[in-house]
Amino acid sequence: MSHRPTFRNNYLNPAMEDEWIERTQPDSPRSPTQRYRLTGKGQRWLQHHADE
């Protein structure tokens, strides 16, 4: 997971396409302060699966 292109293609982009996560700064995706957060869908999944 330390190889950026692989991480981006295999994990980050699919999670954003399926709306599990979103960018905190959607207008500047290459910003050095860019972060990601769970969407409502991602939070519900995490709460449901937290007990496992």
Side-chain angles (χ1 to χ4, degrees):
M1 294 216 330
S2 61
H3 189 251
R4 285 184 186 210
T6 300
F7 176 77
R8 195 176 311 126
N9 291 333
N10 292 346
Y11 300 99
L12 193 59
N13 290 340
M16 285 194 307
E17 289 171 7
D18 291 342
E19 298 179 357
W20 294 106
I21 61 173
E22 62 188 2
R23 289 184 173 112
T24 57
Q25 299 173 12
D27 295 332
S28 53
R30 293 183 181 253
S31 170
T33 59
Q34 180 64 265
R35 309 259 333 227
Y36 299 88
R37 63 178 165 228
L38 286 175
T39 61
K41 178 181 177 180
Q43 290 174 357
R44 287 188 300 276
W45 184 91
L46 187 60
Q47 287 175 350
H48 185 263
H49 291 86
D51 298 335
E52 295 176 5

